[in-house]
Each structure stands twice: as structure tokens, then as C-alpha cells.
Amino acid sequence: YEYGERELLSYRSLPAETPDGHRLVLRCNVELPSEVPHALAQGAEGVGLFRSEFLYLGRQFPPDEEEQFDAYREIATAMAPHEVTIRTLDVGGDKFVPEINLSDEVNPALGLRGVRFSLADRQLLKIQLRAILRVSALGPVRVMFPMISGVSEIRACKSILHQAMAELSREGIDFDGRLPVGIMIETPSAAMIADKLAREVDFFSVGTNDLIQYCLAVDRSNEHVAYLYEPLHPAILRALQMICSAARQAGIKVAMCGEMAAEPLYLPILIGLGFGELSMNAPCIPRVKRVVRQIRYSEGKELLEKLLQMSTVAEVTHCLEEEMMTRIPDLFGKTDI
Amino acid sequence: YEYGERELLSYRSLPAETPDGHRLVLRCNVELPSEVPHALAQGAEGVGLFRSEFLYLGRQFPPDEEEQFDAYREIATAMAPHEVTIRTLDVGGDKFVPEINLSDEVNPALGLRGVRFSLADRQLLKIQLRAILRVSALGPVRVMFPMISGVSEIRACKSILHQAMAELSREGIDFDGRLPVGIMIETPSAAMIADKLAREVDFFSVGTNDLIQYCLAVDRSNEHVAYLYEPLHPAILRALQMICSAARQAGIKVAMCGEMAAEPLYLPILIGLGFGELSMNAPCIPRVKRVVRQIRYSEGKELLEKLLQMSTVAEVTHCLEEEMMTRIPDLFGKTDI
Ligand SMILES: [Mg+2]
Ligand SMILES: [Mg+2]
């Protein structure tokens, strides 16, 4: 993708719309509120994933409600009128909060991560939800729970959210009673029962890094098996299809916030699957937007159907590369992929 | 299940057949050839899973072809005329072969396990396949590959199998040219593309321990999250349904060799799913047979359909327990499950 910065810059202010009028929303993944101005400059239309971990990591005690409120308000205010998606604390696995005593886990990736951690310390979760709710009165905010594997987990989260709402009401504190509630789809389980989960929430956001890792049972940071980590694996395409079709049938929004969303080669697939939102590191946005504006939704769907018939990563990759070289030679023809 | 040993013993020689004539094959999981006589005495009709690891573990060098041949011949001879399913070396994760230098893996369950290990040392795999092939001339034997996540892995295994066959032919050594080839279904990926994998093999055997672990992203030996390990999770029921329906459509056999196969409460589900073979530790066979002989296939299918509609583990468990208490009060009515 040897294109000039200047040419790319011109895409920042254009809509992420396919030639046949299918509009996508490109958002940014953010670690710190201070990243927002730069993300806006890259053309981000909201935050698809705000990782709230920075508030918790590397300190002895978790942040109180006020400190969280300040951080969420900063990001919501900076991004307004665009929507900000705040993911609740996603620790465990590779992340870690020193305050809580996690014994050494043999397989941390299969351990006390994400929402499991929050449901093991519900008071901590409720404080976070109160802070998010308070900010929801000030600007468009969504809440998203990580590592959901089943319906009872999201129901437990919603019940804590409702407790937080009831508390704030009693205290006379303002919040958005219709705060959109979503979940990360990143366990195979969640993909398999996406239809059941879709009835419980307002939106999905697919975390492809973990989804691929768990579906293929591959730790991609393990050099012995990293070669098996393949976003174009037929099982991954099928999982994505299950997720998107469940979202469509339930009439809820579906986003992708994993690294897969930022790879131009994969865009026809993501467009064909019907993703309404792609969230990525801000610097990737112009490049992705340029490609989106050159792929017809109808082409994406057609290509997807073809790829779903295939049996191996090699077949999928070859076909996709060939198609893209033919369809957009300017962008895909010159590289020797 | 407070039943007398004597009453149970009477089931050993009866077929594992539902009242409406659906015949299952109950087989044993075996670590050592010496376990076969006891398994036969419990009514095992073959070995559904022979773990070949004992030959490799705790020694400095892997066993040569002759040593393996002797072990496989011993088990095949002892079990004849029943079929013996030999699983190729399944190390990694919790198992370990000192000869090969596995660096410390952060998440061994997502690391160099099962067939990945064999495909990283193809010479070792070929020696094992030669030994299995030679025994296939002496009695009914099947070969099964563990931890398959995609079509290209099973194709690579089959190609090494064909090399071994070609070698033996050149050497004038006898083998069964139609040796049945199967795979464990134990990664979510394999469940999701079971239809594609079914075209490549003669049989499936579902390894529920790993399948559940990966689908739910739960290491069940981790005390913090063990509560999430649930065979009755709606996502697991759906995964099993995908696997069984793919097998049925391709006309291949489907077995279960994980611990889930030995739990009487789960049997109506497994019968309803259409499993043709259940393999378990031999002492469980009489108990399972007794229950199989009291559940109609039609009831199993009906109950399965009902359970598949449900959203949570609690709902599935409650409904299943109620149904079983009503249908077979002798077995399920007295326990306070
Ligand atoms: Mg994740
Ligand atoms: Mg296994």
C-alpha cells in the first residue's frame, strides 16, 4: 500500500460509503482520552472501543467513581456528538490488576478474564457502571461487556446496571435510561449462540483477536503455533457469518473492533457480512476508508458467498487476493502478496 | 445412582439399544493394552479411544516402530473382532514428551498440542502410522488424529499416511488399504466447519473435554472459572448439533469419547443427536447401557429440540432433570440432583 500521505489525507472527511451506497461507520480504538483529537483528525466517527483498563492498571487501588467519571466525561466530551463505546474493565489473561490476587493461572487466556473478573467483584463493576451512566447524561455513550460466553452473564451484567440506575435515580442523579448495552463477541460460545445473545443486547462488537485465538485454539504469541492464527480460516468466516446473521435477524447493530477490521484485504468480506461499524487504531482509518469507497456491497456479498464454500485458508486467501487484484488493481495489484 | 452391582452386571451382555430399536455401540477409552480384558468384561464393544501416549511419556527417546507395533498388536488382538481406534500421539498442553524441547508456553492449552506436534515432527508421525498400518492387517483398527482445527491439517495427515502405505507396499508388508481415518472434534473451529471436515474422513469422535474448554474459553482446572465449564451450555448443545448433523449429511460415523459420554443424565441428548458410538472408561459402560435401554430415540430427539431452544445452562439443566425424573423415576427420581 505504497500511497502518498497526501492522497490518503483526502479521505479523512469523506464518508465511508461503498459505491452502491452502503454506509459504514469507522471508529477508533482508544486507550486514553487524550487520543481523541488525533482520532478525529483521522476521520473517526466515534469511539468503537474505549479500553478502560488504563484507569486500573499499575496502581494499588482501583479508581473511585469520581476519577472514572472524569475520564469518561473527558472522552465523551471530546468525541461529541459522536458516540463513545466504553468497555468495562477487561483484565486477566495478559492484563493484570495488582490489587486483586490472581493466583498463577496455567492457561491465563482460559482464566479469570473480562466480565468474569467483573462478576467476581460486582461492587467494582457497579462503581464503573455508575460512572458510565453519569456520563451518559452528558453525551452519547454506550457500554460494552467483554468475554461474554453465555446469556446468564449478560443478564447478570444488566441486573447490576439496573441496580446502578436505581441508585442514581434515588440519588437524583441524571443518566440516559436508554444507554445502549452491548457485548464483545470473542468466545466461540458467543458466536455459536449469537442469536440468543442478540435478544439481550443492543449491539455486538466482534473482538477478532480473541475470537480467532479461541476458535482455532491458538495462542498467537506462541511461536510454535502462531502460523495457525488465520483470520481467513473457513471456521472464522463461518463464525463471523453466524454473528452477523444473528445480529441482522434481531435487528441489532454489529461492529468489529479486532485487528481484522483494519486490514484492507479483508474489507470486501466485512462489507459483505454486513458490518455496520469497524473500529480500529485511528491511523488506519483513512486507508480503510479509501478501500471501502471502492468496494460495492453487492460485490462483497458475492465474494463472501464464494469464499464461504472453500475448505482451506490457502484457497480463501488465493481467491480473495486474485479478486482484489482484478477489482482494484490500483491498491492490490502492485503488491506481491 | 444407588443401584446394586449385581443388577448392573446383568447389563453387560445386553445390547446398548433403545426401546425403539436404535442401536448404539459402547466402547472403552484405554491407556494401556492390559486394560482390554477388564473392558471386555464390562461389555465394551471395541476401543473408541486408545491413547498412545503411554508409549512416549516419561522416557528419553520415542518408541521405534517395532515397539509400537507390539503394543498395537497386543490391544488389537485382545479386542478382536471388535474395532480398536488408535489415536496418534496427543502431547502438549498438560502432557509432555521430554525428548522434544517445548519452550515454556504461556497458554499450553492453546499451544503445540496433538496433531500440531505430529505435523512438526512428521518422521515421528510416519513411524507411528506404519506401526498402526501393520497392525491393521491383523485385526480391525482405525486411526484418529487429535486437535484438528482445519482441512489442511487432516489432508497433511492423510498424505503422510499414504506415504507410509506406499513404503509398506514397496517393502511387501501387509496392511489394510481401507484403514478408516478419523479425527477428534475438539476445537471450536472443527465444530464450525464439521461439514467440510466430514468430506475428508470416515468418522468423527467428539472430545468434549477440550471442545467445552475451548468453546467457553474456560480451563476447568482453574478454580476461578471452573464454574463456567458446563456440558449443558446452549453453545455446547449447538456445537454438538452442528457436528452430528454434518456427520449425518456426509454419511460418516460420529462417536463421542469425552467425559460427557459417560454421564447418564446427558444420554437422552446424545441419543437424540444421533451419536452412533459412545466411548468411556470401562467401568461406566454398564450404567450407561442401562439408561440407553430405557430412552427411546424419538424421546431423545424431541427433548433435544426442546433444549436447543433454551438460553441458559440453568434452564437446560432444569428441564432435562425434570424430564428424566418423570420418564425414568427409578434412575433419576431418587437422587436430589
Ligand atoms: Mg478480548
Ligand atoms: Mg484433547
Side-chain angles (χ1 to χ4, degrees), chain B residues 7-72:
Chain B
E7 194 254 338
L8 266 179
L9 288 183
S10 66
Y11 285 93
R12 294 183 184 178
S13 52
L14 295 172
E17 190 173 312
T18 66
D20 52 348
H22 190 74
R23 180 76 160 84
L24 274 82
V25 177
L26 301 189
R27 288 179 166 167
C28 55
N29 297 345
V30 163
E31 306 255 8
L32 300 170
S34 58
E35 295 171 43
V36 168
H38 174 252
L40 282 168
Q42 299 292 323
E45 303 177 279
V47 176
L49 168 61
F50 174 49
R51 301 185 172 98
S52 60
E53 289 80 61
F54 88 96
L55 285 160
Y56 296 82
L57 296 179
R59 50 192 287 171
Q60 213 181 344
F61 298 104
D64 65 14
E65 185 180 318
E66 283 313 303
E67 185 181 345
Q68 292 190 58
F69 174 72
D70 287 343
Y72 305 151

Side-chain angles (χ1 to χ4, degrees), chain B residues 290-307:
Chain B
R290 181 175 58 194
V291 180
V292 168
R293 291 178 59 85
Q294 293 182 69
I295 302 169
R296 304 180 77 84
Y297 175 54
S298 58
E299 283 180 306
K301 278 204 295 188
E302 198 185 298
L303 183 50
L304 175 69
E305 281 312 312
K306 204 163 147 184
L307 299 177

Side-chain angles (χ1 to χ4, degrees), chain A residues 66-181:
Chain A
E66 285 312 304
E67 185 181 346
Q68 292 190 58
F69 173 72
D70 287 344
Y72 305 151
R73 183 181 52 190
E74 181 182 347
I75 192 167
T77 313
M79 191 45 96
H82 298 298
E83 207 169 39
V84 172
T85 311
I86 304 175
R87 181 175 69 184
T88 60
L89 181 59
D90 186 20
V91 289
D94 45 344
K95 302 151 200 151
F96 183 63
V97 175
E99 195 223 356
I100 302 115
N101 235 328
L102 274 183
S103 61
D104 279 357
E105 293 178 313
V106 177
N107 288 292
L110 307 176
L112 194 65
R113 303 187 58 178
V115 79
R116 299 165 185 186
F117 187 92
S118 295
L119 290 175
D121 189 341
R122 299 185 178 205
Q123 189 50 32
L124 201 66
L125 177 59
K126 196 163 73 180
I127 292 169
Q128 183 166 30
L129 294 174
R130 282 179 57 106
I132 294 171
L133 280 165
R134 286 172 56 194
V135 171
S136 74
L138 310 176
V141 163
R142 310 193 294 182
V143 66
M144 176 161 83
F145 298 96
M147 280 297 285
I148 293 284
S149 62
V151 166
S152 36
E153 283 168 327
I154 179 59
R155 287 188 183 159
C157 291
K158 286 196 295 184
S159 134
I160 297 165
L161 181 67
H162 294 145
Q163 282 170 35
M165 286 178 168
E167 285 180 10
L168 292 175
S169 293
R170 275 197 302 274
E171 297 163 23
I173 300 174
D174 240 22
F175 62 90
D176 176 5
R178 296 189 300 181
L179 174 80
V181 174

Side-chain angles (χ1 to χ4, degrees), chain B residues 87 90 95 113 146-147 184 186 207 209-211 214:
Chain B
R87 181 176 69 185
D90 186 21
K95 302 152 200 150
R113 303 188 58 179
M147 280 296 286
M184 299 273 295
E186 52 186 340
N209 303 9
D210 274 328
L211 183 64
Y214 294 130

